[in-house]
Amino acid sequence: MSVFLPDDPARDDVLAGRPALWLNPGLTANGAHVADLPVKPVQVGEAEENWLALAPLLKTCFPELVASKGRIESELIEANNLRKALGYEGAEFGRLFVKADNNLPVAGSIKARGGVYEVFMHARKMAEEHGIFSAGDDVNLLTGKAARALFCQHTIAVGSTGNLGLSVGIAARALGFRAVVHMSSDAKQWKVDRLTRLGVEVVRHQADYTTAVEHARIDAEADPSIYFVDDERSQMLFFGYSAAATELARQLADAGVTVDKDHPLFVYLPCGIGGAPGGVAYGLKAIFGDAAHAFFVEPVQSPCALVHMMSGSSELVSVYDVGLTNRTEADGMAVARMSAFVADVMKPLLSGIFTVADDDLFRWLWLAQVSQSIRLEPSATAGFAGPQFLVNSAQGQAYADRNGLSDKLTGATHVVWTTGGAFVPEEQFKQFMERGASLVKKN
Ligand SMILES: *Cc1c(COP(=O)(O)O)cnc(C)c1O
């Protein structure tokens, strides 16, 4: 399939693999069209309640959650040193925060919010169906003998570029399930090794993410003892992620940040298939409405959400369809075709998508560590391009004009979502830092 993208100020840069900001023409104000979507804002609150109900069980399964009473949460950091290092000191950049999911417990990435949620929700439902658990029971029954005996007869499978596999594998093994992770060729060896040590079966595919997911889905359909966590279609993952919005809203309030039409909130979310950034963005729009402006960010060679949403096509458009390669060091975002479900949901809600070059990811990785001691993997740094695109680029200024924000930027808050990194082994992290240091010095 060869696809022609419509006329758009960002089109030529996107096709040439140069960094660009695309503004979503489908964005609508006042929640218009949101009622037509296949998901409802009340589901964000339900996910929050489910997380609370699971907390005592999570605390038992993962001792690192004792201090947080079973909540899987990350810090919100006002990154003033990093802000300087990035050149974002001017008043026009408002306040800059990092939402540090790179340090999220259990899985070391934003996937802890999705994968762990879906596995634990599935376990609870399975236990209910087998009469081991009912509403009102102590949720820690799910670590009991009867539950274990049930779970070890069942398999949880997933396709992944790495981090979703880690999250689902860790959660499944913690409850005693068998687990199979289908990895794309992008997956880093250390992620495979870590899963293997946990007793997870890892199937390596010499193919991209979309293909790995297809294999996993076909296997699962043929075997009723396999439950497939479907990253391309799962609403469970989506709403697990969405609860992060409630957490952020609470932390912003604690930091004295006002979010309203005069004090816009800009959030920059690294995007692979779209589930994690889509879930968070959906939650933020449910809470803050038009005062929240959600942007996705993707690698210049893997902008699957950008090319699909820009195309306006009803059929999914992949990055290969427009002549891009899907080659990137950012394994968390090495996805050639986005989720159709997320594309539909984001159409009226997403402000835009920008792209970043791999070299910049390594520069920011180095800067974040050196200036602020924030340990990131390459994918997790992509959002740092956000403030500069928004404040300084012609497209960013067009966005501000169109939305009546041009005189409100000094009162704005920018949140860069750093999506992973805590589990990167020291040796690998050293290599990332060396690459980053040499690029920073070259400049
Ligand atoms: C998975 C992941 C993303 C993107 O999430 P999607 O749900 O695939 O869009 C971004 N950054 C990191 C580090 C990830 O692991």
Side-chain angles (χ1 to χ4, degrees), residues 109-111 163 231 241 270-277 332-333 377 379-380 419-420:
S109 81
I110 192 169
K111 298 303 189 306
N163 285 343
D231 203 14
Y241 294 123
C271 174
I273 195 146
M333 300 189 288
E377 60 184 274
S379 299
T419 44

Side-chain angles (χ1 to χ4, degrees), residues 143-278:
T143 60
K145 259 207 183 112
R148 287 236 155 212
L150 172 67
F151 296 156
C152 75
Q153 303 293 320
H154 292 84
T155 298
I156 296 184
V158 69
S160 177
T161 63
N163 285 343
L164 186 62
L166 269 182
S167 153
V168 168
I170 288 168
R173 296 299 295 151
L175 290 167
F177 285 99
R178 291 186 56 228
V180 181
V181 174
H182 293 256
M183 289 285 201
S184 69
S185 56
D186 317 278
K188 301 281 183 232
Q189 186 61 40
W190 69 265
K191 294 181 182 176
V192 174
D193 295 342
R194 189 162 178 137
L195 283 171
T196 308
R197 282 199 299 275
L198 281 170
V200 174
E201 186 188 327
V202 179
V203 183
R204 299 207 70 168
H205 294 274
Q206 285 314 313
D208 73 359
Y209 175 73
T210 307
T211 310
V213 170
E214 265 161 24
H215 278 278
R217 190 186 288 124
I218 289 165
D219 280 7
E221 277 167 0
D223 181 347
S225 77
I226 302 179
Y227 176 81
F228 179 51
V229 175
D230 194 333
D231 203 14
E232 288 186 328
R233 301 174 187 175
S234 170
Q235 288 197 15
M236 192 72 87
L237 283 176
F238 186 86
F239 282 105
Y241 294 123
S242 78
T246 323
E247 183 184 314
L248 177 66
R250 188 173 12 95
Q251 291 172 324
L252 286 171
D254 289 348
V257 171
T258 303
V259 180
D260 59 24
K261 74 179 192 340
D262 294 319
H263 301 87
L265 172 68
F266 299 101
V267 182
Y268 308 110
L269 297 152
C271 174
I273 195 146

